[in-house]
Amino acid sequence: MGTAMRGGRRRRGRTAVALGLLGELLITLGLVLALFVGYSLWWTDVLADRTAGHAGDRLRQTWGIPAAPPADGAAAGPAPQYAAGDGVGFLHVPAFGRGDQTLIRMGTTAQVLDEGVAGVYEEPYRSAMPWDAEGNFALAAHRDGHGARFHDLDKVAVGDPVVVETRDAWYVYRVAGALPQTSKYDVGVVAPVPEGSPFTGPGRYLTLTTCTPVYTSRYRMAVWAQLVRVDPVDARRTPPPELR
């Protein structure tokens, strides 16, 4: 009997050791996951905001350099052409909070969006630019992590203003509709005449897209707006009333 009791104690001892090791492993795994979540949802925001801030400052500095005048008798040149990653301007969404602004750059690759900006769609439809006679200026941004510029996109309501700031003009849009959820493969939402939007023919539109629900990338949401006014930039760069 003594031998059996000693054998039982040894088995219980080994079980206790194994459970202890398993517990420590689970605690370690939990800490690693917590650190990863912290990195994804906080530290990437810090880095992205810093990068976007520097890039935005550089863009505004270039705006301070006078453009070369056309040669005598020559017509003004064509609208500027932008390559992937180039800065275009700034997006202002008052519904996101007072003073909110987001740098706009060409492209929607992870390399672009991870820097805390709104990216201009170049495919499957190449976006029209705000100054074009017609078309859809379609933008994407992260909802969580990497700046989370569109985290509150679901708070934008019909009738809200959205303003795009470029070197020479303020483009004032008015929200006309939204699609809370659709497939992330639904490219029609960024078409020249966005599918599912209130628009039925060509016009001057703005589309904002991001992932949904929060903290996932399973679906896509879209907000659509229509241009209502273009205000030229004055010497003091006074923002339009919608931003004051």
Side-chain angles (χ1 to χ4, degrees):
M1 174 176 278
T3 303
M5 291 179 63
R6 286 194 295 273
R9 285 196 294 268
R10 284 196 294 270
R11 286 194 294 272
R12 287 194 296 272
R14 288 193 293 268
T15 300
V17 170
L19 290 175
L21 291 174
L22 178 60
E24 292 178 3
L25 179 61
L26 291 174
I27 291 172
T28 301
L29 180 60
L31 290 173
V32 170
L33 289 174
L35 289 172
F36 176 76
V37 171
Y39 170 80
S40 299
L41 299 182
W42 176 74
W43 184 242
T44 60
D45 283 349
V46 173
L47 295 179
D49 287 344
R50 183 182 305 165
T51 300
H54 292 328
D57 290 343
R58 289 195 298 270
L59 179 61
R60 290 194 182 278
Q61 289 171 3
T62 66
W63 287 355
I65 301 173
D72 291 343
Q81 300 297 310
Y82 295 92
D86 285 352
V88 174
F90 297 89
L91 178 72
H92 303 268
V93 185
F96 289 173
R98 185 174 179 84
D100 177 83
Q101 74 167 21
T102 297
L103 177 65
I104 301 172
R105 294 175 62 187
M106 294 299 298
T108 55
T109 63
Q111 183 178 4
V112 172
L113 299 187
D114 286 357
E115 294 190 349
V117 306
V120 181
Y121 278 89
E122 297 185 286
E123 57 182 28
Y125 303 98
R126 185 171 182 84
S127 293
M129 302 306 285
W131 48 84
D132 290 339
E134 65 179 41
N136 184 17
F137 186 47
L139 306 176
H142 285 303
R143 194 166 188 193
D144 295 290
H146 300 286
R149 302 310 306 175
F150 284 179
H151 182 80
D152 294 326
L153 189 60
D154 59 325
K155 295 181 180 178
V156 180
V158 172
D160 284 352
V162 178
V163 179
V164 173
E165 176 191 2
T166 67
R167 176 173 181 154
D168 301 311
W170 303 89
Y171 296 86
V172 182
Y173 297 82
R174 192 71 60 183
V175 174
L179 184 61
Q181 182 173 296
T182 187
S183 168
K184 59 184 177 182
Y185 304 109
D186 182 2
V187 299
V189 298
V190 297
V193 180
E195 297 175 10
S197 73
F199 313 132
T200 58
R204 298 176 73 176
Y205 306 131
L206 170 71
T207 300
L208 309 179
T209 68
T210 194
C211 296
T212 196
V214 178
Y215 308 121
T216 76
S217 58
R218 286 180 292 174
Y219 301 101
R220 173 183 292 162
M221 69 177 301
V223 169
W224 296 295
Q226 186 169 19
L227 186 73
V228 295
R229 194 175 76 253
V230 180
D231 292 348
V233 168
D234 61 23
R236 298 178 62 184
R237 205 166 195 90
T238 306
E242 289 79 1
L243 300 182
R244 296 179 210 163

